[in-house]
């Protein structure tokens, strides 16, 4: 089973939520190689502005 863990905490790898998540994954017996971690605090994520720029770039295909 492959999992993706999204960490949105400002404390990054020091967050309590991530510590609890790691403990939970260990309890499930899931190997670290099957888990992907993404920390969103350093990413520039903006909401959709409904400008259709992505639609015009890809001719409406995802």
């Amino acid at each position: 089973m492959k999992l993706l863990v999204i960490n949105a905490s400002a404390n990054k790898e020091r967050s309590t939520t991530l510590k609890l998540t790691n403990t939970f994954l260990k309890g499930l017996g899931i190997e670290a190689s099957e888990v992907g971690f993404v920390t969103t605090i350093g990413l520039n994520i903006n909401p959709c502005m409904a400008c259709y720029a992505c639609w015009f770039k890809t001719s409406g295909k995802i």
Side-chain angles (χ1 to χ4, degrees), residues 16-30 37:
T16 304
T17 303
L18 191 57
K19 290 176 186 176
L20 289 171
T21 301
N22 286 329
T23 303
F24 178 74
L25 293 173
K26 286 180 187 176
L28 288 177
I30 296 176
F37 289 91

Side-chain angles (χ1 to χ4, degrees), residues 47-61:
C48 175
M49 305 272 303
C51 66
Y52 294 103
C54 60
W55 184 270
F56 294 123
K57 288 179 186 176
T58 63
S59 300
K61 297 178 184 172

